[in-house]
Amino acid sequence: MKNNNQQHSNRKIIYVFQGGGALGTFQVGGVEALFEHNYRADMVVGISIGGINAAILAGNPPEKRVEKLKEFWNKVTSSIPIPNLPFGGIAKIHNFWGSLVSLTGRPGFYIPRLVNPFLLNHQSPEELSFYDTLPLRDTLTELIDFEYLNEAHVRLCLGATDLASGDFVFFDNTKEKITVEHIMASGALPPGFPAVEINGRYYVDGGVYANTPLSMVLDEFAHNEASMKSVLCFMFDLFAANGPLPHTMDGMLERIKDIQFSSHSKRSNAIYSTTQNLSHAIHFLGSKLTPEQKKDPKIKEILKLGLAHRLDLIHVIYHSPRGTELHSKDYNFSAETAHLHWQQGYDATKLIIKEKEHEWDKFHREGTAVYTMDGDKLKTINI
């Protein structure tokens, strides 16, 4: 394997992790492939399970990151005594059993509450859930070096939703001290998991507002030409917008869930494409102005919107192998299925690196390119 340390040294590398529960090992496989090619993150942005993966990665030194991610997933998954074979409906039986077992709780993650929350009145938000995530607190405390995390060797941004205002917020280790509560808040998806109180406000899963946190990357560099030109962003989505027509009721539920959670990525990409086109138009028109016209204060402000950004976005999307998974795939914590998800993330990321890294290593190129690995389909869009 070639050594790419020098080759990538001028790029700001960012990972963006979508939420998706038990599908999160797809991201771990992708990270392992990236590490093998020395694409190690300077910044990680995550929501929900993606936030947990991101925090474990940012909260450990480079040589321990993949190891700690795997340790987390080994803790929260367990083997199912039914083979996971992709034929004859056996995989569906395996995955149904895995999701059924997960409803009883997950070691190191969550346990069921003794009292049904629908029977409660006048409770604080942290009591209103079907499961208690106290085990997750212990697991994260064990796996994350919070002193290291808050030294911001890797910038960490966690998306969450303010339960009272409905605002989408990011917790950022370069702006505030990140605690275990911030990580748990990013993944506090109701009604399964309880809201988390931080400084007198309650927060729930960022996926309630937007399951793909790409906006953090775009907003961060929207007015900084020098930074944007150096960004190489790897975004791992756990739900696919495109998929086959369903032929069963469970297939219909799975397809609707995929569309609901993947739509955030499509909207972010569409908005970014539009703003980039406008930016290029302003940049072009600005080049036609005289030096005197460019000195006008109002024109100066407008020309700032025309910075000729360059962003390479590598978008890797998980796809369920047809006929193997159910709509409960995001809470099927079967160890066998988790390994399959890891392998898919690893293989897809290795393939897109092999096919496309020669293009995103061309530093002289202007504009934005989006490289999408959608299941087994690879496509490139230049903006």
Side-chain angles (χ1 to χ4, degrees):
M1 185 186 71
K2 65 181 181 179
N3 188 322
N4 291 323
N5 280 330
Q6 185 63 38
Q7 185 175 355
H8 307 320
S9 61
N10 293 323
R11 304 304 299 272
K12 176 180 277 293
I13 297 175
I14 301 176
Y15 299 166
V16 177
F17 295 152
Q18 188 187 58
L23 303 174
T25 48
F26 180 80
Q27 296 166 347
V28 178
V31 167
E32 187 156 9
L34 292 175
F35 269 47
E36 289 181 3
H37 289 264
N38 293 305
Y39 291 102
R40 303 193 178 198
D42 301 294
M43 175 179 177
V44 192
V45 187
I47 282 178
S48 197
I49 199 66
I52 292 174
N53 282 338
I56 294 171
L57 190 153
N60 285 284
E63 67 276 10
K64 291 185 177 181
R65 288 171 187 165
V66 173
E67 170 196 333
K68 292 295 183 180
L69 282 168
K70 289 183 176 181
E71 189 175 340
F72 170 78
W73 285 96
N74 286 335
K75 281 179 175 290
V76 302
T77 59
S78 56
S79 292
I80 302 300
I82 298 172
N84 192 349
L85 303 174
F87 53 80
I90 297 175
K92 284 192 173 182
I93 296 173
H94 174 97
N95 291 326
F96 172 76
W97 189 269
S99 59
L100 202 63
V101 170
S102 298
L103 290 175
T104 66
R106 286 286 82 212
F109 201 161
Y110 58 90
I111 54 176
R113 292 191 185 274
L114 297 178
V115 179
N116 188 309
F118 281 106
L119 301 177
L120 303 176
N121 287 298
H122 307 295
Q123 300 294 311
S124 60
E126 67 262 26
E127 301 295 329
L128 300 176
S129 65
F130 290 105
Y131 297 94
D132 189 334
T133 51
L134 187 60
L136 178 61
R137 176 187 298 276
D138 295 335
T139 298
L140 294 176
T141 301
E142 176 187 344
L143 295 179
I144 295 174
D145 181 339
F146 281 90
E147 181 177 352
Y148 182 90
L149 186 152
N150 284 298
E151 290 171 353
H153 299 275
V154 173
R155 184 175 179 186
L156 173 66
C157 298
L158 302 170
T161 306
D162 187 306
L163 187 59
S165 70
D167 292 334
F168 190 43
V169 300
F170 278 102
F171 304 125
D172 184 338
N173 68 342
T174 66
K175 298 177 180 178
E176 62 191 304
K177 182 179 179 180
I178 299 297
T179 67
V180 70
E181 283 77 17
H182 293 90
I183 304 168
M184 294 175 67
S186 180
L189 183 62
F193 299 157
V196 177
E197 188 269 331
I198 301 173
N199 296 327
R201 301 197 68 83
Y202 286 95
Y203 297 92
V204 294
D205 194 302
V208 172
Y209 187 98
N211 197 46
T212 301
L214 180 61
S215 61
M216 182 63 189
V217 178
L218 305 183
D219 292 344
E220 175 73 13
F221 300 105
H223 302 293
N224 188 329
E225 184 173 17
S227 294
M228 181 60 94
K229 282 189 175 182
S230 71
V231 171
L232 183 59
C233 179
F234 295 92
M235 182 166 76
F236 292 89
D237 280 3
L238 302 180
F239 297 94
N242 300 310
L245 290 174
H247 297 286
T248 65
M249 192 60 197
D250 191 90
M252 176 65 78
L253 294 173
E254 182 191 6
R255 183 86 281 271
I256 294 303
K257 181 178 284 187
D258 281 351
I259 293 170
Q260 286 175 332
F261 286 112
S262 66
S263 61
H264 301 298
S265 287
K266 295 187 73 173
R267 284 199 296 270
S268 293
N269 290 350
I271 291 170
Y272 184 63
S273 296
T274 300
T275 56
Q276 278 293 89
N277 289 334
L278 289 173
S279 178
H280 290 310
I282 293 169
H283 183 73
F284 173 77
L285 293 174
S287 69
K288 304 300 180 182
L289 298 177
T290 66
E292 285 301 316
Q293 288 172 323
K294 290 180 181 179
K295 291 179 182 178
D296 185 301
K298 291 184 179 179
I299 290 178
K300 281 184 177 180
E301 288 301 310
I302 293 172
L303 291 180
K304 287 181 181 178
L305 302 175
L307 297 176
H309 296 326
R310 179 201 167 185
L311 165 69
D312 286 317
L313 175 62
I314 295 86
H315 190 189
V316 186
I317 305 172
Y318 172 74
H319 266 267
S320 300
R322 189 165 187 175
T324 64
E325 291 198 299
L326 306 168
H327 82 281
S328 55
K329 61 187 178 183
D330 54 335
Y331 58 92
N332 166 25
F333 285 90
S334 146
E336 294 81 8
T337 305
H339 178 74
L340 290 177
H341 294 156
W342 172 89
Q343 191 68 55
Q344 287 170 278
Y346 180 84
D347 291 344
T349 306
K350 292 280 281 190
L351 179 59
I352 200 168
I353 291 173
K354 176 184 176 182
E355 296 292 330
K356 293 296 182 179
E357 74 170 335
H358 67 281
E359 295 185 24
W360 63 64
D361 278 334
K362 294 176 181 176
F363 299 117
H364 65 275
R365 179 175 53 76
E366 294 290 345
T368 296
V370 180
Y371 304 88
T372 302
M373 193 75 207
D374 194 353
D376 59 356
K377 297 180 178 64
L378 178 58
K379 62 181 180 180
T380 302
I381 300 174
N382 290 302
I383 301 172

